[in-house]
């Protein structure tokens, strides 16, 4: 019997501004995000920021490459996992993410426990 769970979504944060160059108010807004999401009826389950993209190593077809694979002005800066009622609610909550020069990508997560 499958257990009903609250849908979870990954919110991938893309930013053209390096974390150390983000304005202090934007950094505070990131730290306040869990409370703002909770006020809007969702829940941040986890959140992580990533080191500079130059620290990345990509494995593609068995070959290692330094740095991100695709040239872009924006880099994947972090991710958080949140619970929301549905995709529309997740998109509404993701709009609360402070971004200077970039955007967010919302992806539903697969709950392997209910498959």
């Amino acid at each position: 019997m499958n257990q009903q769970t609250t849908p979870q979504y990954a919110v991938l944060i893309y930013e053209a501004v390096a974390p150390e160059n983000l304005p202090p108010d934007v950094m505070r807004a990131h730290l306040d995000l869990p409370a703002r999401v909770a006020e809007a009826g969702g829940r941040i389950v986890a959140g992580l920021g990533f080191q500079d993209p130059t620290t990345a190593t990509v494995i593609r077809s068995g070959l290692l490459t330094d740095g991100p694979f695709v040239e872009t002005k924006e880099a994947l800066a972090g991710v958080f996992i949140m619970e929301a009622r549905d995709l529309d609610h997740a998109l509404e909550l993701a709009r609360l993410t402070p971004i200077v020069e970039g955007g967010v990508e919302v992806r539903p997560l697969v709950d392997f426990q209910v498959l």
Side-chain angles (χ1 to χ4, degrees), residues 34-60:
R36 293 194 335 257
V37 165
E39 288 171 6
R43 183 170 82 95
I44 301 289
V45 176
L48 298 167
F50 297 132
Q51 291 187 15
D52 187 275
T54 60
T55 65
T57 302
V58 175
I59 303 171
R60 197 173 294 272

mmCIF file with all atom_site columns, all heavy atoms in Angstrom, residues 34-60:
data_model
loop_
_atom_site.group_PDB
_atom_site.id
_atom_site.type_symbol
_atom_site.label_atom_id
_atom_site.label_alt_id
_atom_site.label_comp_id
_atom_site.label_asym_id
_atom_site.label_entity_id
_atom_site.label_seq_id
_atom_site.pdbx_PDB_ins_code
_atom_site.Cartn_x
_atom_site.Cartn_y
_atom_site.Cartn_z
_atom_site.occupancy
_atom_site.B_iso_or_equiv
_atom_site.pdbx_formal_charge
_atom_site.auth_seq_id
_atom_site.auth_comp_id
_atom_site.auth_asym_id
_atom_site.auth_atom_id
_atom_site.pdbx_PDB_model_num
ATOM 1   N N   . PRO A 1 34 ? 13.224 30.213 4.313   1.00 0.00 ? 34 PRO A N   1
ATOM 2   C CA  . PRO A 1 34 ? 12.394 29.177 4.935   1.00 0.00 ? 34 PRO A CA  1
ATOM 3   C C   . PRO A 1 34 ? 11.188 29.744 5.688   1.00 0.00 ? 34 PRO A C   1
ATOM 4   O O   . PRO A 1 34 ? 10.082 29.193 5.604   1.00 0.00 ? 34 PRO A O   1
ATOM 5   C CB  . PRO A 1 34 ? 13.361 28.460 5.878   1.00 0.00 ? 34 PRO A CB  1
ATOM 6   C CG  . PRO A 1 34 ? 14.697 28.650 5.242   1.00 0.00 ? 34 PRO A CG  1
ATOM 7   C CD  . PRO A 1 34 ? 14.647 30.044 4.662   1.00 0.00 ? 34 PRO A CD  1
ATOM 8   N N   . ALA A 1 35 ? 11.371 30.838 6.390   1.00 0.00 ? 35 ALA A N   1
ATOM 9   C CA  . ALA A 1 35 ? 10.250 31.442 7.129   1.00 0.00 ? 35 ALA A CA  1
ATOM 10  C C   . ALA A 1 35 ? 9.206  31.998 6.166   1.00 0.00 ? 35 ALA A C   1
ATOM 11  O O   . ALA A 1 35 ? 7.996  31.828 6.389   1.00 0.00 ? 35 ALA A O   1
ATOM 12  C CB  . ALA A 1 35 ? 10.754 32.552 8.055   1.00 0.00 ? 35 ALA A CB  1
ATOM 13  N N   . ARG A 1 36 ? 9.646  32.636 5.091   1.00 0.00 ? 36 ARG A N   1
ATOM 14  C CA  . ARG A 1 36 ? 8.690  33.196 4.124   1.00 0.00 ? 36 ARG A CA  1
ATOM 15  C C   . ARG A 1 36 ? 7.918  32.093 3.407   1.00 0.00 ? 36 ARG A C   1
ATOM 16  O O   . ARG A 1 36 ? 6.721  32.225 3.147   1.00 0.00 ? 36 ARG A O   1
ATOM 17  C CB  . ARG A 1 36 ? 9.417  34.104 3.126   1.00 0.00 ? 36 ARG A CB  1
ATOM 18  C CG  . ARG A 1 36 ? 9.959  35.361 3.797   1.00 0.00 ? 36 ARG A CG  1
ATOM 19  C CD  . ARG A 1 36 ? 10.395 36.446 2.830   1.00 0.00 ? 36 ARG A CD  1
ATOM 20  N NE  . ARG A 1 36 ? 10.769 36.005 1.512   1.00 0.00 ? 36 ARG A NE  1
ATOM 21  C CZ  . ARG A 1 36 ? 12.027 35.899 1.075   1.00 0.00 ? 36 ARG A CZ  1
ATOM 22  N NH1 . ARG A 1 36 ? 13.029 36.195 1.856   1.00 0.00 ? 36 ARG A NH1 1
ATOM 23  N NH2 . ARG A 1 36 ? 12.272 35.506 -0.158  1.00 0.00 ? 36 ARG A NH2 1
ATOM 24  N N   . VAL A 1 37 ? 8.599  30.996 3.081   1.00 0.00 ? 37 VAL A N   1
ATOM 25  C CA  . VAL A 1 37 ? 7.933  29.862 2.429   1.00 0.00 ? 37 VAL A CA  1
ATOM 26  C C   . VAL A 1 37 ? 6.918  29.247 3.391   1.00 0.00 ? 37 VAL A C   1
ATOM 27  O O   . VAL A 1 37 ? 5.800  28.910 3.000   1.00 0.00 ? 37 VAL A O   1
ATOM 28  C CB  . VAL A 1 37 ? 8.969  28.827 1.939   1.00 0.00 ? 37 VAL A CB  1
ATOM 29  C CG1 . VAL A 1 37 ? 8.313  27.498 1.587   1.00 0.00 ? 37 VAL A CG1 1
ATOM 30  C CG2 . VAL A 1 37 ? 9.737  29.373 0.741   1.00 0.00 ? 37 VAL A CG2 1
ATOM 31  N N   . ALA A 1 38 ? 7.278  29.118 4.671   1.00 0.00 ? 38 ALA A N   1
ATOM 32  C CA  . ALA A 1 38 ? 6.356  28.561 5.669   1.00 0.00 ? 38 ALA A CA  1
ATOM 33  C C   . ALA A 1 38 ? 5.124  29.448 5.814   1.00 0.00 ? 38 ALA A C   1
ATOM 34  O O   . ALA A 1 38 ? 4.001  28.947 5.917   1.00 0.00 ? 38 ALA A O   1
ATOM 35  C CB  . ALA A 1 38 ? 7.067  28.400 7.008   1.00 0.00 ? 38 ALA A CB  1
ATOM 36  N N   . GLU A 1 39 ? 5.310  30.761 5.809   1.00 0.00 ? 39 GLU A N   1
ATOM 37  C CA  . GLU A 1 39 ? 4.169  31.688 5.897   1.00 0.00 ? 39 GLU A CA  1
ATOM 38  C C   . GLU A 1 39 ? 3.224  31.515 4.715   1.00 0.00 ? 39 GLU A C   1
ATOM 39  O O   . GLU A 1 39 ? 2.021  31.755 4.844   1.00 0.00 ? 39 GLU A O   1
ATOM 40  C CB  . GLU A 1 39 ? 4.666  33.133 5.936   1.00 0.00 ? 39 GLU A CB  1
ATOM 41  C CG  . GLU A 1 39 ? 5.322  33.525 7.234   1.00 0.00 ? 39 GLU A CG  1
ATOM 42  C CD  . GLU A 1 39 ? 5.991  34.898 7.162   1.00 0.00 ? 39 GLU A CD  1
ATOM 43  O OE1 . GLU A 1 39 ? 5.847  35.597 6.139   1.00 0.00 ? 39 GLU A OE1 1
ATOM 44  O OE2 . GLU A 1 39 ? 6.660  35.258 8.144   1.00 0.00 ? 39 GLU A OE2 1
ATOM 45  N N   . ALA A 1 40 ? 3.764  31.081 3.572   1.00 0.00 ? 40 ALA A N   1
ATOM 46  C CA  . ALA A 1 40 ? 2.954  30.892 2.364   1.00 0.00 ? 40 ALA A CA  1
ATOM 47  C C   . ALA A 1 40 ? 2.443  29.456 2.226   1.00 0.00 ? 40 ALA A C   1
ATOM 48  O O   . ALA A 1 40 ? 1.916  29.084 1.183   1.00 0.00 ? 40 ALA A O   1
ATOM 49  C CB  . ALA A 1 40 ? 3.766  31.284 1.121   1.00 0.00 ? 40 ALA A CB  1
ATOM 50  N N   . GLY A 1 41 ? 2.625  28.637 3.284   1.00 0.00 ? 41 GLY A N   1
ATOM 51  C CA  . GLY A 1 41 ? 2.038  27.300 3.288   1.00 0.00 ? 41 GLY A CA  1
ATOM 52  C C   . GLY A 1 41 ? 2.924  26.187 2.785   1.00 0.00 ? 41 GLY A C   1
ATOM 53  O O   . GLY A 1 41 ? 2.466  25.066 2.599   1.00 0.00 ? 41 GLY A O   1
ATOM 54  N N   . GLY A 1 42 ? 4.208  26.453 2.549   1.00 0.00 ? 42 GLY A N   1
ATOM 55  C CA  . GLY A 1 42 ? 5.135  25.407 2.114   1.00 0.00 ? 42 GLY A CA  1
ATOM 56  C C   . GLY A 1 42 ? 6.154  25.119 3.185   1.00 0.00 ? 42 GLY A C   1
ATOM 57  O O   . GLY A 1 42 ? 6.051  25.611 4.312   1.00 0.00 ? 42 GLY A O   1
ATOM 58  N N   . ARG A 1 43 ? 7.163  24.316 2.843   1.00 0.00 ? 43 ARG A N   1
ATOM 59  C CA  . ARG A 1 43 ? 8.206  23.994 3.810   1.00 0.00 ? 43 ARG A CA  1
ATOM 60  C C   . ARG A 1 43 ? 9.499  23.701 3.077   1.00 0.00 ? 43 ARG A C   1
ATOM 61  O O   . ARG A 1 43 ? 9.522  22.925 2.123   1.00 0.00 ? 43 ARG A O   1
ATOM 62  C CB  . ARG A 1 43 ? 7.802  22.780 4.638   1.00 0.00 ? 43 ARG A CB  1
ATOM 63  C CG  . ARG A 1 43 ? 8.811  22.429 5.727   1.00 0.00 ? 43 ARG A CG  1
ATOM 64  C CD  . ARG A 1 43 ? 8.252  21.387 6.676   1.00 0.00 ? 43 ARG A CD  1
ATOM 65  N NE  . ARG A 1 43 ? 8.371  20.040 6.163   1.00 0.00 ? 43 ARG A NE  1
ATOM 66  C CZ  . ARG A 1 43 ? 9.388  19.212 6.448   1.00 0.00 ? 43 ARG A CZ  1
ATOM 67  N NH1 . ARG A 1 43 ? 10.367 19.596 7.213   1.00 0.00 ? 43 ARG A NH1 1
ATOM 68  N NH2 . ARG A 1 43 ? 9.399  17.997 5.954   1.00 0.00 ? 43 ARG A NH2 1
ATOM 69  N N   . ILE A 1 44 ? 10.575 24.365 3.519   1.00 0.00 ? 44 ILE A N   1
ATOM 70  C CA  . ILE A 1 44 ? 11.902 24.058 3.004   1.00 0.00 ? 44 ILE A CA  1
ATOM 71  C C   . ILE A 1 44 ? 12.415 22.856 3.787   1.00 0.00 ? 44 ILE A C   1
ATOM 72  O O   . ILE A 1 44 ? 12.507 22.901 5.012   1.00 0.00 ? 44 ILE A O   1
ATOM 73  C CB  . ILE A 1 44 ? 12.874 25.251 3.172   1.00 0.00 ? 44 ILE A CB  1
ATOM 74  C CG1 . ILE A 1 44 ? 12.364 26.489 2.445   1.00 0.00 ? 44 ILE A CG1 1
ATOM 75  C CG2 . ILE A 1 44 ? 14.280 24.871 2.723   1.00 0.00 ? 44 ILE A CG2 1
ATOM 76  C CD1 . ILE A 1 44 ? 12.420 26.434 0.953   1.00 0.00 ? 44 ILE A CD1 1
ATOM 77  N N   . VAL A 1 45 ? 12.733 21.785 3.086   1.00 0.00 ? 45 VAL A N   1
ATOM 78  C CA  . VAL A 1 45 ? 13.214 20.564 3.712   1.00 0.00 ? 45 VAL A CA  1
ATOM 79  C C   . VAL A 1 45 ? 14.733 20.606 3.862   1.00 0.00 ? 45 VAL A C   1
ATOM 80  O O   . VAL A 1 45 ? 15.282 20.165 4.867   1.00 0.00 ? 45 VAL A O   1
ATOM 81  C CB  . VAL A 1 45 ? 12.788 19.328 2.881   1.00 0.00 ? 45 VAL A CB  1
ATOM 82  C CG1 . VAL A 1 45 ? 13.354 18.047 3.462   1.00 0.00 ? 45 VAL A CG1 1
ATOM 83  C CG2 . VAL A 1 45 ? 11.270 19.262 2.786   1.00 0.00 ? 45 VAL A CG2 1
ATOM 84  N N   . ALA A 1 46 ? 15.427 21.138 2.864   1.00 0.00 ? 46 ALA A N   1
ATOM 85  C CA  . ALA A 1 46 ? 16.887 21.229 2.877   1.00 0.00 ? 46 ALA A CA  1
ATOM 86  C C   . ALA A 1 46 ? 17.318 22.311 1.908   1.00 0.00 ? 46 ALA A C   1
ATOM 87  O O   . ALA A 1 46 ? 16.589 22.640 0.968   1.00 0.00 ? 46 ALA A O   1
ATOM 88  C CB  . ALA A 1 46 ? 17.508 19.891 2.484   1.00 0.00 ? 46 ALA A CB  1
ATOM 89  N N   . GLY A 1 47 ? 18.488 22.841 2.139   1.00 0.00 ? 47 GLY A N   1
ATOM 90  C CA  . GLY A 1 47 ? 19.026 23.840 1.227   1.00 0.00 ? 47 GLY A CA  1
ATOM 91  C C   . GLY A 1 47 ? 20.542 23.832 1.271   1.00 0.00 ? 47 GLY A C   1
ATOM 92  O O   . GLY A 1 47 ? 21.138 23.654 2.332   1.00 0.00 ? 47 GLY A O   1
ATOM 93  N N   . LEU A 1 48 ? 21.155 23.985 0.119   1.00 0.00 ? 48 LEU A N   1
ATOM 94  C CA  . LEU A 1 48 ? 22.609 23.980 0.015   1.00 0.00 ? 48 LEU A CA  1
ATOM 95  C C   . LEU A 1 48 ? 23.054 25.027 -0.992  1.00 0.00 ? 48 LEU A C   1
ATOM 96  O O   . LEU A 1 48 ? 22.428 25.199 -2.041  1.00 0.00 ? 48 LEU A O   1
ATOM 97  C CB  . LEU A 1 48 ? 23.118 22.613 -0.467  1.00 0.00 ? 48 LEU A CB  1
ATOM 98  C CG  . LEU A 1 48 ? 22.825 21.414 0.421   1.00 0.00 ? 48 LEU A CG  1
ATOM 99  C CD1 . LEU A 1 48 ? 23.113 20.127 -0.331  1.00 0.00 ? 48 LEU A CD1 1
ATOM 100 C CD2 . LEU A 1 48 ? 23.657 21.481 1.677   1.00 0.00 ? 48 LEU A CD2 1
ATOM 101 N N   . GLY A 1 49 ? 24.145 25.684 -0.693  1.00 0.00 ? 49 GLY A N   1
ATOM 102 C CA  . GLY A 1 49 ? 24.789 26.567 -1.665  1.00 0.00 ? 49 GLY A CA  1
ATOM 103 C C   . GLY A 1 49 ? 25.993 25.846 -2.239  1.00 0.00 ? 49 GLY A C   1
ATOM 104 O O   . GLY A 1 49 ? 26.597 25.001 -1.571  1.00 0.00 ? 49 GLY A O   1
ATOM 105 N N   . PHE A 1 50 ? 26.336 26.159 -3.463  1.00 0.00 ? 50 PHE A N   1
ATOM 106 C CA  . PHE A 1 50 ? 27.465 25.515 -4.121  1.00 0.00 ? 50 PHE A CA  1
ATOM 107 C C   . PHE A 1 50 ? 28.675 26.426 -4.144  1.00 0.00 ? 50 PHE A C   1
ATOM 108 O O   . PHE A 1 50 ? 28.537 27.648 -4.181  1.00 0.00 ? 50 PHE A O   1
ATOM 109 C CB  . PHE A 1 50 ? 27.113 25.125 -5.557  1.00 0.00 ? 50 PHE A CB  1
ATOM 110 C CG  . PHE A 1 50 ? 26.005 24.119 -5.653  1.00 0.00 ? 50 PHE A CG  1
ATOM 111 C CD1 . PHE A 1 50 ? 24.958 24.316 -6.519  1.00 0.00 ? 50 PHE A CD1 1
ATOM 112 C CD2 . PHE A 1 50 ? 26.007 22.975 -4.883  1.00 0.00 ? 50 PHE A CD2 1
ATOM 113 C CE1 . PHE A 1 50 ? 23.927 23.400 -6.619  1.00 0.00 ? 50 PHE A CE1 1
ATOM 114 C CE2 . PHE A 1 50 ? 24.979 22.045 -4.969  1.00 0.00 ? 50 PHE A CE2 1
ATOM 115 C CZ  . PHE A 1 50 ? 23.943 22.257 -5.846  1.00 0.00 ? 50 PHE A CZ  1
ATOM 116 N N   . GLN A 1 51 ? 29.864 25.827 -4.145  1.00 0.00 ? 51 GLN A N   1
ATOM 117 C CA  . GLN A 1 51 ? 31.083 26.594 -4.318  1.00 0.00 ? 51 GLN A CA  1
ATOM 118 C C   . GLN A 1 51 ? 31.133 27.123 -5.752  1.00 0.00 ? 51 GLN A C   1
ATOM 119 O O   . GLN A 1 51 ? 30.349 26.714 -6.607  1.00 0.00 ? 51 GLN A O   1
ATOM 120 C CB  . GLN A 1 51 ? 32.307 25.737 -4.019  1.00 0.00 ? 51 GLN A CB  1
ATOM 121 C CG  . GLN A 1 51 ? 32.429 25.391 -2.546  1.00 0.00 ? 51 GLN A CG  1
ATOM 122 C CD  . GLN A 1 51 ? 33.735 24.685 -2.238  1.00 0.00 ? 51 GLN A CD  1
ATOM 123 O OE1 . GLN A 1 51 ? 34.667 24.675 -3.030  1.00 0.00 ? 51 GLN A OE1 1
ATOM 124 N NE2 . GLN A 1 51 ? 33.791 24.083 -1.064  1.00 0.00 ? 51 GLN A NE2 1
ATOM 125 N N   . ASP A 1 52 ? 32.071 27.996 -6.011  1.00 0.00 ? 52 ASP A N   1
ATOM 126 C CA  . ASP A 1 52 ? 32.252 28.606 -7.322  1.00 0.00 ? 52 ASP A CA  1
ATOM 127 C C   . ASP A 1 52 ? 32.298 27.538 -8.420  1.00 0.00 ? 52 ASP A C   1
ATOM 128 O O   . ASP A 1 52 ? 32.861 26.458 -8.217  1.00 0.00 ? 52 ASP A O   1
ATOM 129 C CB  . ASP A 1 52 ? 33.570 29.393 -7.300  1.00 0.00 ? 52 ASP A CB  1
ATOM 130 C CG  . ASP A 1 52 ? 33.764 30.195 -8.549  1.00 0.00 ? 52 ASP A CG  1
ATOM 131 O OD1 . ASP A 1 52 ? 34.268 29.626 -9.544  1.00 0.00 ? 52 ASP A OD1 1
ATOM 132 O OD2 . ASP A 1 52 ? 33.401 31.380 -8.544  1.00 0.00 ? 52 ASP A OD2 1
ATOM 133 N N   . PRO A 1 53 ? 31.701 27.812 -9.584  1.00 0.00 ? 53 PRO A N   1
ATOM 134 C CA  . PRO A 1 53 ? 31.679 26.822 -10.673 1.00 0.00 ? 53 PRO A CA  1
ATOM 135 C C   . PRO A 1 53 ? 33.063 26.362 -11.115 1.00 0.00 ? 53 PRO A C   1
ATOM 136 O O   . PRO A 1 53 ? 33.205 25.277 -11.662 1.00 0.00 ? 53 PRO A O   1
ATOM 137 C CB  . PRO A 1 53 ? 30.979 27.544 -11.821 1.00 0.00 ? 53 PRO A CB  1
ATOM 138 C CG  . PRO A 1 53 ? 30.295 28.698 -11.221 1.00 0.00 ? 53 PRO A CG  1
ATOM 139 C CD  . PRO A 1 53 ? 30.974 29.017 -9.937  1.00 0.00 ? 53 PRO A CD  1
ATOM 140 N N   . THR A 1 54 ? 34.100 27.158 -10.872 1.00 0.00 ? 54 THR A N   1
ATOM 141 C CA  . THR A 1 54 ? 35.444 26.733 -11.271 1.00 0.00 ? 54 THR A CA  1
ATOM 142 C C   . THR A 1 54 ? 35.924 25.540 -10.458 1.00 0.00 ? 54 THR A C   1
ATOM 143 O O   . THR A 1 54 ? 36.902 24.895 -10.828 1.00 0.00 ? 54 THR A O   1
ATOM 144 C CB  . THR A 1 54 ? 36.454 27.897 -11.126 1.00 0.00 ? 54 THR A CB  1
ATOM 145 O OG1 . THR A 1 54 ? 36.482 28.316 -9.757  1.00 0.00 ? 54 THR A OG1 1
ATOM 146 C CG2 . THR A 1 54 ? 36.078 29.063 -12.026 1.00 0.00 ? 54 THR A CG2 1
ATOM 147 N N   . THR A 1 55 ? 35.239 25.215 -9.361  1.00 0.00 ? 55 THR A N   1
ATOM 148 C CA  . THR A 1 55 ? 35.612 24.050 -8.555  1.00 0.00 ? 55 THR A CA  1
ATOM 149 C C   . THR A 1 55 ? 34.973 22.770 -9.079  1.00 0.00 ? 55 THR A C   1
ATOM 150 O O   . THR A 1 55 ? 35.274 21.688 -8.586  1.00 0.00 ? 55 THR A O   1
ATOM 151 C CB  . THR A 1 55 ? 35.205 24.244 -7.082  1.00 0.00 ? 55 THR A CB  1
ATOM 152 O OG1 . THR A 1 55 ? 33.776 24.304 -6.999  1.00 0.00 ? 55 THR A OG1 1
ATOM 153 C CG2 . THR A 1 55 ? 35.810 25.505 -6.489  1.00 0.00 ? 55 THR A CG2 1
ATOM 154 N N   . ALA A 1 56 ? 34.103 22.889 -10.072 1.00 0.00 ? 56 ALA A N   1
ATOM 155 C CA  . ALA A 1 56 ? 33.362 21.729 -10.582 1.00 0.00 ? 56 ALA A CA  1
ATOM 156 C C   . ALA A 1 56 ? 34.237 20.868 -11.495 1.00 0.00 ? 56 ALA A C   1
ATOM 157 O O   . ALA A 1 56 ? 35.117 21.353 -12.191 1.00 0.00 ? 56 ALA A O   1
ATOM 158 C CB  . ALA A 1 56 ? 32.141 22.198 -11.361 1.00 0.00 ? 56 ALA A CB  1
ATOM 159 N N   . THR A 1 57 ? 33.946 19.585 -11.470 1.00 0.00 ? 57 THR A N   1
ATOM 160 C CA  . THR A 1 57 ? 34.516 18.643 -12.422 1.00 0.00 ? 57 THR A CA  1
ATOM 161 C C   . THR A 1 57 ? 33.344 17.885 -13.033 1.00 0.00 ? 57 THR A C   1
ATOM 162 O O   . THR A 1 57 ? 32.481 17.395 -12.315 1.00 0.00 ? 57 THR A O   1
ATOM 163 C CB  . THR A 1 57 ? 35.471 17.652 -11.732 1.00 0.00 ? 57 THR A CB  1
ATOM 164 O OG1 . THR A 1 57 ? 36.500 18.387 -11.074 1.00 0.00 ? 57 THR A OG1 1
ATOM 165 C CG2 . THR A 1 57 ? 36.093 16.698 -12.737 1.00 0.00 ? 57 THR A CG2 1
ATOM 166 N N   . VAL A 1 58 ? 33.318 17.822 -14.348 1.00 0.00 ? 58 VAL A N   1
ATOM 167 C CA  . VAL A 1 58 ? 32.220 17.178 -15.066 1.00 0.00 ? 58 VAL A CA  1
ATOM 168 C C   . VAL A 1 58 ? 32.714 15.858 -15.639 1.00 0.00 ? 58 VAL A C   1
ATOM 169 O O   . VAL A 1 58 ? 33.817 15.785 -16.171 1.00 0.00 ? 58 VAL A O   1
ATOM 170 C CB  . VAL A 1 58 ? 31.710 18.099 -16.210 1.00 0.00 ? 58 VAL A CB  1
ATOM 171 C CG1 . VAL A 1 58 ? 30.651 17.394 -17.033 1.00 0.00 ? 58 VAL A CG1 1
ATOM 172 C CG2 . VAL A 1 58 ? 31.192 19.401 -15.639 1.00 0.00 ? 58 VAL A CG2 1
ATOM 173 N N   . ILE A 1 59 ? 31.900 14.825 -15.514 1.00 0.00 ? 59 ILE A N   1
ATOM 174 C CA  . ILE A 1 59 ? 32.186 13.536 -16.135 1.00 0.00 ? 59 ILE A CA  1
ATOM 175 C C   . ILE A 1 59 ? 31.132 13.324 -17.211 1.00 0.00 ? 59 ILE A C   1
ATOM 176 O O   . ILE A 1 59 ? 29.938 13.281 -16.925 1.00 0.00 ? 59 ILE A O   1
ATOM 177 C CB  . ILE A 1 59 ? 32.138 12.385 -15.114 1.00 0.00 ? 59 ILE A CB  1
ATOM 178 C CG1 . ILE A 1 59 ? 33.113 12.637 -13.977 1.00 0.00 ? 59 ILE A CG1 1
ATOM 179 C CG2 . ILE A 1 59 ? 32.418 11.057 -15.812 1.00 0.00 ? 59 ILE A CG2 1
ATOM 180 C CD1 . ILE A 1 59 ? 32.963 11.666 -12.823 1.00 0.00 ? 59 ILE A CD1 1
ATOM 181 N N   . ARG A 1 60 ? 31.571 13.221 -18.450 1.00 0.00 ? 60 ARG A N   1
ATOM 182 C CA  . ARG A 1 60 ? 30.651 13.026 -19.563 1.00 0.00 ? 60 ARG A CA  1
ATOM 183 C C   . ARG A 1 60 ? 31.304 12.026 -20.519 1.00 0.00 ? 60 ARG A C   1
ATOM 184 O O   . ARG A 1 60 ? 32.423 12.247 -20.967 1.00 0.00 ? 60 ARG A O   1
ATOM 185 C CB  . ARG A 1 60 ? 30.380 14.358 -20.267 1.00 0.00 ? 60 ARG A CB  1
ATOM 186 C CG  . ARG A 1 60 ? 29.168 14.333 -21.155 1.00 0.00 ? 60 ARG A CG  1
ATOM 187 C CD  . ARG A 1 60 ? 28.845 15.716 -21.683 1.00 0.00 ? 60 ARG A CD  1
ATOM 188 N NE  . ARG A 1 60 ? 28.444 16.657 -20.662 1.00 0.00 ? 60 ARG A NE  1
ATOM 189 C CZ  . ARG A 1 60 ? 27.195 16.841 -20.228 1.00 0.00 ? 60 ARG A CZ  1
ATOM 190 N NH1 . ARG A 1 60 ? 26.218 16.119 -20.715 1.00 0.00 ? 60 ARG A NH1 1
ATOM 191 N NH2 . ARG A 1 60 ? 26.926 17.745 -19.315 1.00 0.00 ? 60 ARG A NH2 1
#
